[in-house]
Every structure is written in C-alpha cells, then in structure tokens.
Amino acid sequence: MYIFEYSELIRNLVISDLKVKYQSSFLGFAWSMLNPLLMMLVLYAVFQNIFKFEQEHFALYLLIGIIAWRFLSIGTMTAMGSIVGKPSLVTKIYIPREILTFSITMSAFISSILEFTVLIPLMLILGAPISITILLFPVVHALYFIIVYGLSLVLSALYVYFRDLNQIWDILLQIGFYVSPIIYPLTMVPEKYLLYYTLNPITRLIMMYRDILLFGNFPTVLDFLIVGGFGVVFLAFGSAVFKRLSLRFAEEV
Amino acid sequence: MKEKNKEEYAIEVNNVSKSFRIPHEKRVTVYDNLVGCVTGKSYSYEAFEALKDVSFNVKKGETFGIIGRNGSGKSTMLKILANVLTPDNGYVITKNKIAPFLELGVGFQPELTAVENVYLYGAIMGLKRAEMDTKIDYIFEFSELEKFKDTKLKNFSSGMYARLAFSTAISTDPDILLIDEALSVGDEAFQKKCAEWIENIKNKGRTIVFVSHDLNSVKNLCSRCLLLNDGKVSCMADTETVIAAYRKIMNTSEDEIETAHVPSNDETDILHIEEPAGMIGIPEQTETAEPIEVKNCMQHIENLQAVKVNETTEISYDNLLSSNVHIGEYTYGNPQIFIWTDRYHVHIGKFCSIDDNVKILVDGDHRLDWVSTFPFGHIIPSIRKNIDHHKGKGDVIIGNDVFIGYGSIVHSGVKIGDGAVVGAGSVVTEDVDNYEVVTGNPAKHVKYRFSEESIEKLMRIKWWDWDIEKISENIELFESQDINSFISKFIKGSG
C-alpha cells in the first residue's frame, strides 16, 4: 500500500505544504482562521437580525457548518492541482501518483482539525456545554476525509486533461454551499424535499458535527452507515478513475 | 509475472510500443471539448510512434548501453523502464529496486537546506528517515560539500547542486540503475570520481542501463548495447559491433541505413550485425597513392561528416584528415571538407554551428597557369606524381561561435573571425571579420552584429574559453538580446 510504503515522503510533502500555507508561523494560522470567523460574524449578523432564526447558539451552529464545509471546498480545490503542480515528481521519477493527491488532502485535513480546535475556546466563551460526544469527532472526521480524498482523486486526475475544471468545480462548490444546511437551519427545508436533501452526505456530515460538538447527541448508526458507504464508493470510484487516467500523466502534465 | 527460468534477467522488455499524441488542435479544457462537439470537428491527432515493438533483456549484473541518434527513442525507453511512461503495447518486467537518474535533483526545493533536500530525496526514493541517517555523512563526503550542509539550496552554484544531487542519488544503493547522460556533472576530478563509483557499482554486481551519446563511456562501461533507430531495435550485440553500426547510421542517410546495412528485426530479438565492410582505404600520403585510391579518397572526403558534439565524441575521419582538420569543442555540423594534400590545414573553433551542405575547399584547385589543368601523375600510374599540381591559397581558419548557413562554400585561404555569420548559400572568398555578417556570391559585408565597442569587449571576454559550468550559469544572458548586460557582467574584472 503506497500510503505506508511512502509514509516518509507523505510526511515531507504534508509538512512542506503546511509550511507554505502558514508561512512557518503561528500568525499564519491565525490569519487563515480570520476568513471563517469573519464569514461567521457577517452571516450571524445578517441571519440573526434580519431573518430571526430561532436556533440556539446560532453563531457556533454557523461556524461548525462553515469549518466543515471549508474542508471540502479547500481540500478538493487544492488537491485538484496536486498532480499538475508537481511536474518533476510526475515526469522524472516514478512514485505512486496518488501520493501527491493524498498529501495535499492530508494537509487540508490537518488544517481542518486545527480550525475545529478553535471551536473549543469559543464554546467556552459563548457558554455552550462541551459534551462527551465530542470524542466521536475523530471518527466522523476520518469518514469525511475518505469522502474528500475520493473526490480529490477524480478531480486531480481530470484536471490534468481539463485545465478549466477548477472554474467548473468552483461553481459547483458554490451551489453545494447553499444546498447544504450551512447558513440556515434544517427546519427551513420543506418537508417533501427533506428525504432527498438528507441523502447528500455533506448535509449528513454537517448535522453529525453539530450533534456531537454542539448538541451532545449521538448520531444514529444509519448516519455512520450512509456516510461510510459514500466514503467507500467515492474512494473506490476515485481510485479506479485515477488509475486509469494516470497512465498518460507524464505526457500531459 | 513470469518468474520461471527467467531469474537471471533484471529487466525484461517485451514488444514495447509507445506513441505520443500530437493533436491537430489542442484541447485542454472542458470548454474546448464542448466547442469541438458543437462545431462537429472530430478530435483528431497524429500519433508519433516513439518506440515500435522493442524487446530486449538485461541480465542481472550487466552494464547495458542504449545508443542512438537524437529522437531515436532512447529517452522514451528509459522513461518506460523507470515507470514514468506507460507503454501502449507490450510490457516491462523489472525486478528489485530501480533508481532512475533521468534528471538529477528531482524534487529538490531551493528553499530547503542541503540536508533537508537530501532527506526529501530519500523520501522520494521510498527510504525511511533512519535509513537516510546512516547515509548522510557519506553523501556530504562524496560531494565535498560538508561545509554547506545547512546552506539553502538556492544559494548553491549549479556545480554544487549537481554534485549534491549526484551524491544523493547514488547513496540510495539501488539494484538497478538507469543513467541518462547524467554523468557529465562537476569538474574533471569529480567526473573521475563518478566514473570510479560506476566501476565500483559494476563490480558489486549491480545492473546498469546506460544511455549516452558519449561512445567512449559506452565503450568503457558496457558489455552489451542496444542501438535504437527511429524507435526500432536496429541492432543488439556486443558493444564494439553496435558502436560500429551506430557510426554507420551517423554517416549514412536514413534510407540507406534502412535498406543497406541493418537487417530488419522482425524475426529475432537479438541481431548480430556483421562487421562493417572495411572502410574505404585512405592513402597516408597522396604521393604514394594509386589512382584508384585517389578516387576513393575523394569519395570518402565527400562523405566526410566532421561531427563533433563534445570533446569525447569520436570523429569519423582518420589518417590524413585528422591531422589536418582541427575542430574545437561543441562545434557541430557535417561540412564536406575537400582537402587533397597535407600542406594545408582547417581550423574550426569552438561552439560553431555549421549547417548542412556546407563545403570547405582547402585545396584541389587545378593549375590554370600550367599548360594543362589535368593532374597527370595522380591519374596515370606510369607518370610521376607532382604534389604541386594541387593548388590552394592556404589554411582555412574559422573562429569560435561562427554560424555558417546552409549550402555555403568557404574558399581556401579564408579566415572567418569569431562570432561571424555567413548567410545561407554564400560563397566566402575573402576574410570575414569578427562578428561580421556576410552573404551572397561572392560574400559581401552586410553588417556587424554589435557595435565596434561591444565587439572589442566580446573579444576580450572570449566566453568560448569558459567551462560549460560557467556558461550554463549564465545561459539566460547568452539567450538574451541584452548585449550590454552581458558585457558589463564579465568585463568588470579585466578593466
């Protein structure tokens, strides 16, 4: 398995990517947190005062959704360029090319974990209770990683051949942002669409994050099964597409 | 995997073909493809066949050479062996760990220090950190860069970079090495070290696949060779035989080689090329030559290819000519040099580009001032030879960095200065100045390439005497139009 065989290389690639992202400083991380926090504040101001949603801890509710969404959007967008961005590792030497995509997804994953940890002091400040269900976070986050990695495999491989894919994916992500219950409560969704709505694994994941982090509820087994099922399918499909398309990477990069 | 009975092979290549797509209209976006669908143009591309049905085996512990002209598929083959490219047809079986030296310093990052880069390279090669720990001292000792361990790579000179990259690459101690002309790094002493290292690795029983233009290295290192021509196996046999076949290819046009010299490879994997038909005899001295040989000599001279890619490439003329023709390093081209007696010499400097169909007439003029122009003694055996028959005006001296365009003729006794340009189809009868551009029949002055002042400074700089390292460091300047920056960078010291 390439992940274990090349663990040293993956570690190296992840670290160098994180170093670039945060300019090797804590302040770099603080800057990167500014974006979701500001977004949360703006949305909070707009929705709380204009639409008057009755959702307890609406600020935290928003922030969890935004941070969870950021892993998908940043993870897939950066991982998409993982093959194209390292031409010398594709054309001059053989390494399993999945490693490049894996490392970038992993780097986004670590960033995401850091962002989630910022929630804890915020919860204390805003007086939200911290429940035992928070211990399920690693499980949920790991399942999410599998989904994002599966998507990234498809995207990074296709991007080698279609260089405007990032524009298209950007638009799809924007649609996804509004289709998922990030900035509004699930109760807003009309009952007749609710079934289809919750089939979206991202919707389910965001609900799970809120359950375990904010509301202290255990997600149902069905939640885990659905999300895990999507993960397996995405990963299998992504790996197959990647394998097939990687045959001509060295010529196209 | 077919393991049975094939244990002794380190690499098996079976009927490998590879073609590259050269699209007529490049579509790299979804948008392009949608537009293509709407306008109804079908997506068409030309397939360029880089390798056609290539098969060979490399035995364990063997040093195997791959030679061929530019574009013959050598590098594609090496990339397939390295698993970077996937063949369209056929398959490659390799056993054990392969270290490709397709390019040195793969993955090196300028912002990291030398040590960090070494660890990164190890990681790319799939080594654990602990394994690299044991090699790190060796790497820095071999590269003689102990003092620069913690220097960021961006502050390295290109020579230091190459040395570090090479030392790191060899430290991974692979079972199979693929070497693509990566050996020409560093100064002479370091190159010697590299050669010793390869010898050492060879003795350890490691398998080496070596791709090079440098026939001397191939001859010294490899026991067996493969000659690729136009993506096909042209010849595979012991090194001597294959090099002889390669020389023939270099000396003969493609059509001729296809039909005349190389048997088709349809039937067997390994072809044993016959010894090349003995080179046409060249008389040492024209005075003693028989008439028939004189004719042959002429023929041979006409076919002469004075190709010299770098100082170690052998030239295909011999005896008479080699002592009279002097060609500087890196000069390339295949001028026809008409040289009849050994009274006159041809000097061509370094870094000259000589286009096809260029003729250099050194002597061989007949005597217009004698009663008959016929060279009696050289044609009719019973008449004594008279070397005075052949007239020439003197040595032909061509400077450095000279470009001689297609089909030009350079007359005897002419001196062409450094940096000069001779336009295509010119007939040069008079001396050409440094950095002068001439053209026409007879060649007339067109202009000077730079101002008088610049030329004077360029003649002081004499960049053609630099070593390649220095040239490669400044390659951007060489390839720019900014003559002033070039001069000001290098003239400071001298005045």
Side-chain angles (χ1 to χ4, degrees):
Chain A
M1 182 71 179
Y2 55 87
I3 293 170
F4 302 111
E5 199 181 331
Y6 284 87
S7 56
E8 186 64 33
L9 177 59
I10 292 171
R11 206 179 64 93
N12 256 301
L13 289 172
V14 170
I15 289 174
S16 68
D17 190 60
L18 286 171
K19 267 188 182 167
V20 171
K21 208 187 296 182
Y22 298 133
Q23 281 100 48
S24 313
S25 70
F26 174 74
L27 212 61
F29 173 67
W31 281 117
S32 79
M33 261 324 278
L34 212 60
N35 181 316
L37 284 174
L38 277 176
M39 192 168 169
M40 181 270 281
L41 280 176
V42 171
L43 291 170
Y44 181 77
V46 171
F47 286 89
Q48 192 70 346
N49 296 319
I50 300 170
F51 294 100
K52 303 207 189 308
F53 290 146
E54 288 186 8
Q55 176 72 52
E56 59 170 340
H57 301 300
F58 187 59
L60 291 169
Y61 181 93
L62 271 175
L63 195 58
I64 290 173
I66 291 167
I67 292 175
W69 180 260
R70 270 166 67 86
F71 176 40
L72 178 77
S73 66
I74 295 176
T76 52
M77 282 304 276
T78 52
M80 194 187 296
S82 59
I83 305 294
V84 175
K86 289 252 190 307
S88 71
L89 291 185
V90 177
T91 59
K92 302 293 180 202
I93 201 163
Y94 176 77
I95 52 167
R97 278 74 180 252
E98 287 91 343
I99 284 174
L100 299 173
T101 307
F102 184 85
S103 312
I104 301 287
T105 317
M106 186 49 98
S107 150
F109 182 68
I110 291 169
S111 298
S112 175
I113 293 174
L114 291 175
E115 291 177 13
F116 270 113
T117 50
V118 172
L119 272 176
I120 296 175
L122 276 174
M123 287 171 79
L124 292 174
I125 293 165
L126 296 172
I130 294 177
S131 151
I132 184 81
T133 52
I134 202 169
L135 294 177
L136 278 172
F137 174 77
V139 181
V140 179
H141 213 43
L143 290 176
Y144 196 11
F145 175 82
I146 294 172
I147 288 179
V148 174
Y149 178 49
L151 278 172
S152 296
L153 281 175
V154 178
L155 291 167
S156 63
L158 283 175
Y159 187 54
V160 174
Y161 301 90
F162 303 106
R163 298 297 170 91
D164 58 351
L165 187 65
N166 54 346
Q167 320 276 356
I168 297 169
W169 185 244
D170 197 29
I171 294 168
L172 292 177
L173 279 175
Q174 281 187 39
I175 297 170
F177 182 81
Y178 293 102
V179 170
S180 310
I182 296 166
I183 52 172
Y184 51 85
L186 200 59
T187 47
M188 298 270 299
V189 181
E191 193 117 3
K192 56 179 174 178
Y193 300 128
L194 204 59
L195 179 67
Y196 306 108
Y197 198 82
T198 50
L199 272 178
N200 173 2
I202 306 301
T203 299
R204 219 165 256 278
L205 270 164
I206 290 173
M207 285 156 57
M208 286 162 84
Y209 279 116
R210 284 173 181 151
D211 275 341
I212 60 171
L213 297 177
L214 193 58
F215 305 134
N217 297 333
F218 281 100
T220 63
V221 176
L222 186 69
D223 284 334
F224 283 108
L225 282 180
I226 288 179
V227 172
F230 269 105
V232 170
V233 171
F234 279 21
L235 186 62
F237 177 71
S239 302
V241 168
F242 193 95
K243 196 99 275 145
R244 179 81 189 78
L245 293 179
S246 68
L247 295 180
R248 281 191 179 272
F249 276 179
E251 291 155 57
E252 300 285 341
V253 161
Chain B
M1 290 263 174
K2 291 185 211 165
E3 289 284 332
K4 49 172 183 181
N5 299 334
K6 291 192 175 174
E7 276 302 306
E8 71 271 29
Y9 291 128
I11 300 172
E12 290 173 47
V13 177
N14 290 290
N15 308 96
V16 162
S17 299
K18 177 77 192 169
S19 56
F20 293 101
R21 293 174 186 173
I22 306 163
H24 292 137
E25 162 205 20
K26 185 93 180 144
R27 289 184 191 167
V28 291
T29 61
V30 174
Y31 175 77
D32 288 343
N33 280 283
L34 285 177
V35 170
C37 284
V38 172
T39 55
K41 280 186 204 154
S42 63
Y43 182 64
S44 59
Y45 56 82
E46 247 164 75
F48 167 71
E49 283 185 83
L51 289 175
K52 298 163 200 161
D53 201 24
V54 173
S55 301
F56 63 92
N57 295 320
V58 180
K59 294 192 200 96
K60 261 186 193 154
E62 187 179 31
T63 306
F64 187 83
I66 301 179
I67 56 178
R69 288 196 289 202
N70 287 332
S72 58
K74 299 188 300 287
S75 298
T76 307
M77 191 65 244
L78 209 58
K79 282 194 169 182
I80 287 177
L81 291 182
N83 207 2
V84 168
L85 290 173
T86 316
D88 298 334
N89 281 310
Y91 58 95
V92 174
I93 300 174
T94 50
K95 287 162 195 147
N96 306 323
K97 193 169 75 181
I98 285 198
F101 288 10
L102 302 183
E103 190 178 293
L104 288 171
V106 169
F108 273 18
Q109 292 187 358
E111 283 299 325
L112 298 179
T113 67
V115 173
E116 286 171 325
N117 270 304
V118 168
Y119 279 110
L120 179 63
Y121 187 86
I124 290 171
M125 296 301 296
L127 295 176
K128 295 275 175 285
R129 202 174 173 85
E131 286 177 78
M132 282 313 280
D133 285 336
T134 62
K135 299 174 194 288
I136 203 98
D137 289 334
Y138 170 78
I139 290 169
F140 282 95
E141 195 188 314
F142 192 91
S143 62
E144 299 163 16
L145 291 168
E146 285 108 329
K147 275 186 240 160
F148 304 100
K149 264 186 173 176
D150 297 311
T151 309
K152 281 192 177 176
L153 206 63
K154 63 179 176 184
N155 298 324
F156 270 39
S157 78
S158 59
M160 288 158 78
Y161 182 98
R163 260 149 56 198
L164 180 70
F166 185 81
S167 312
T168 314
I170 65 172
S171 74
T172 51
D173 200 22
D175 302 305
I176 304 172
L177 273 109
L178 308 178
I179 304 178
D180 187 7
E181 300 175 273
L183 293 169
S184 44
V185 297
D187 56 18
E188 213 167 297
F190 189 75
Q191 285 205 22
K192 210 174 146 215
K193 228 170 160 181
C194 299
E196 275 165 21
W197 173 78
I198 292 200
E199 199 58 39
N200 193 5
I201 277 281
K202 244 181 94 169
N203 295 339
K204 269 192 192 168
R206 301 292 151 82
T207 313
I208 303 175
V209 178
F210 185 66
V211 169
S212 184
H213 284 295
D214 182 353
L215 295 183
N216 272 341
S217 314
V218 172
K219 209 188 281 176
N220 291 339
L221 283 172
C222 307
S223 47
R224 236 157 37 98
C225 262
L226 169 75
L227 174 63
L228 284 177
N229 190 31
D230 272 340
K232 284 182 284 202
V233 177
S234 176
C235 169
M236 184 161 85
D238 61 288
T239 305
E240 291 282 313
T241 314
V242 175
I243 286 182
Y246 176 64
R247 290 240 169 85
K248 273 196 161 178
I249 288 190
M250 291 301 283
N251 280 316
T252 323
S253 77
E254 255 171 65
D255 309 343
E256 283 173 327
I257 201 80
E258 286 286 325
T259 51
H261 301 295
V262 182
S264 100
N265 64 324
D266 290 344
E267 287 164 51
T268 46
D269 283 355
I270 301 176
L271 288 169
H272 288 277
I273 289 279
E274 290 169 51
E275 280 292 315
M279 294 294 273
I280 299 157
I282 295 180
E284 301 236 20
Q285 299 284 323
T286 25
E287 295 99 296
T288 57
E290 294 303 307
I292 187 77
E293 285 178 314
V294 173
K295 267 191 199 157
N296 278 341
C297 174
M298 194 63 189
Q299 231 170 27
H300 183 75
I301 291 168
E302 274 175 345
N303 286 329
L304 167 73
Q305 307 229 346
V307 175
K308 193 163 192 197
V309 175
N310 63 40
E311 73 261 51
T312 42
T313 307
E314 295 208 353
I315 314 168
S316 52
Y317 50 74
D318 43 317
N319 294 337
L320 171 78
L321 294 175
S322 58
S323 60
N324 284 296
V325 178
H326 312 275
I327 299 180
E329 288 164 34
Y330 306 103
T331 286
Y332 70 93
N334 50 350
Q336 296 170 14
I337 299 176
F338 293 83
I339 187 165
W340 202 254
T341 66
D342 58 357
R343 278 183 295 184
Y344 299 116
H345 293 250
V346 177
H347 296 269
I348 304 178
K350 304 178 192 169
F351 297 97
C352 291
S353 305
I354 301 180
D355 254 357
D356 288 344
N357 278 352
V358 168
K359 296 182 177 66
I360 299 175
L361 314 176
V362 184
D363 55 12
D365 232 0
H366 290 205
R367 300 297 298 243
L368 307 184
D369 51 341
W370 288 1
V371 173
S372 168
T373 55
F374 191 78
F376 296 99
H378 297 281
I379 306 302
I380 301 162
S382 60
I383 300 179
R384 55 124 185 78
K385 292 188 181 73
N386 184 351
I387 193 174
D388 286 338
H389 175 83
H390 297 291
K391 211 176 92 185
K393 292 197 189 82
D395 295 351
V396 170
I397 299 168
I398 298 173
N400 305 292
D401 188 24
V402 171
F403 171 60
I404 301 182
Y406 181 89
S408 297
I409 298 172
V410 178
H411 273 237
S412 145
V414 161
K415 181 174 181 296
I416 298 178
D418 297 321
V421 172
V422 176
S426 307
V427 177
V428 186
T429 53
E430 286 176 356
D431 288 0
V432 181
D433 242 3
N434 296 329
Y435 287 95
E436 188 181 2
V437 179
V438 297
T439 191
N441 176 9
K444 288 266 181 286
H445 170 86
V446 177
K447 61 170 182 180
Y448 283 98
R449 288 173 58 200
F450 306 111
S451 71
E452 202 175 317
E453 201 186 342
S454 300
I455 291 174
E456 186 264 322
K457 284 177 177 156
L458 281 166
M459 294 308 294
R460 274 200 281 159
I461 293 172
K462 287 195 188 301
W463 62 261
W464 38 83
D465 292 333
W466 298 353
D467 54 30
I468 279 303
E469 225 167 82
K470 185 166 178 189
I471 291 174
S472 112
E473 274 163 34
N474 296 293
I475 194 67
E476 274 90 13
L477 272 176
F478 275 97
E479 291 171 348
S480 80
Q481 301 181 352
D482 196 353
I483 182 74
N484 293 329
S485 303
F486 184 88
I487 288 173
S488 60
K489 180 161 179 191
F490 300 114
I491 209 82
K492 271 179 229 147
S494 57

